Amino acid sequence: MDLRDELLDVRRSAYARLRGGYPIIMAGTVFWLALAVMSQFMQPVPLLQAAFGLSGMIFPVALVFAWLARIPFMKDRTVLSPLLVPTFIAMLLFWPMLFIATAEAGAGVIMSILAIGLSLHWPVIGWTYGRTALFCAHAIIRAGLVFWIYYAFPGQQMLYIPLAVAACYAVTAFIVYVDASRLARRMGMLPARQAQAMAV
């Protein structure tokens, strides 16, 4: 086995072991549904400020989902784990751009930048799991939906964009769960009872 194959094995093993991080994706679903609800009661700038604070809650909510699913991703370490910090730093750099945009841009632009900006880390995360195409598909479809909604539904972007992103998260969480569970079964990582249930 050469280094490339060995690295791919590490990536796929982490994906199977952590079930593709689907508890984190589920937490993202909750975040975007909350924004959709809040958008009906808040003006764009206060909503943006609330979104900034609420984004910090994604990780604790993900921890709760992971605990319920018995996936201890906080304890899981691979040779690629140090890549996560710079990946998230690169994604978070969009926040200053978003706050600057609030001085000139309308509500739809603000929500569009938020929806796309919070997906910038998806391709890299997908690569670390050996599922680059799947995670890139989420980011690309999400950006395409935001672009379409922005022009197709003027005046409704603050509601429709977070709803569309939440739907992307929910569908992706389901796909990732099924895909990662099947891989875990093939790699012999599932408990016997769960593997039997997946086989039915």
Side-chain angles (χ1 to χ4, degrees):
M1 179 181 292
D2 62 21
L3 181 59
R4 183 172 58 183
D5 291 337
E6 186 176 353
L7 183 58
L8 180 59
D9 185 63
V10 169
R11 292 155 59 198
R12 288 180 175 171
S13 294
Y15 179 72
R17 190 168 56 249
L18 300 176
R19 303 300 183 270
Y22 83 89
I24 304 173
I25 304 174
M26 290 171 57
T29 306
V30 173
F31 169 78
W32 284 101
L33 285 175
L35 285 189
V37 173
M38 293 166 59
S39 72
Q40 301 305 291
F41 305 99
M42 300 177 68
Q43 293 299 312
V45 173
L47 179 63
L48 171 62
Q49 295 168 342
F52 182 74
L54 282 175
S55 67
M57 295 301 296
I58 294 175
F59 189 69
V61 172
L63 286 177
V64 172
F65 284 141
W67 177 75
L68 292 173
R70 297 182 181 179
I71 301 174
F73 67 84
M74 285 298 294
K75 299 178 180 178
D76 195 85
R77 294 289 183 271
T78 72
V79 67
L80 295 175
S81 295
L83 180 63
L84 297 179
V85 172
T87 298
F88 281 99
I89 289 174
M91 181 268 294
L92 291 173
L93 289 175
F94 92 94
W95 279 104
M97 176 179 66
L98 180 57
F99 278 105
I100 291 171
T102 60
E104 302 291 338
V109 173
I110 293 171
M111 184 58 76
S112 298
I113 295 174
L114 181 65
I116 296 173
L118 282 175
S119 71
L120 297 179
H121 61 300
W122 274 76
V124 179
I125 298 299
W127 181 87
T128 64
Y129 280 146
R131 286 296 190 269
T132 307
L134 174 56
F135 281 65
C136 281
H138 169 97
I140 293 169
I141 291 171
R142 175 170 161 178
L145 279 172
V146 170
F147 185 83
W148 173 66
I149 290 170
Y150 178 81
Y151 288 104
F153 300 98
Q156 297 295 323
Q157 299 108 328
M158 297 298 285
L159 174 62
Y160 290 172
I161 287 176
L163 284 178
V165 175
C168 285
Y169 268 90
V171 171
T172 304
F174 176 76
I175 293 172
V176 165
Y177 172 77
V178 172
D179 181 49
S181 296
R182 286 176 177 171
L183 180 60
R185 183 182 62 189
R186 289 199 302 268
M187 299 180 78
M189 294 182 180
L190 287 181
R193 183 179 300 177
Q194 190 174 354
Q196 186 177 8
M198 288 290 298
V200 174

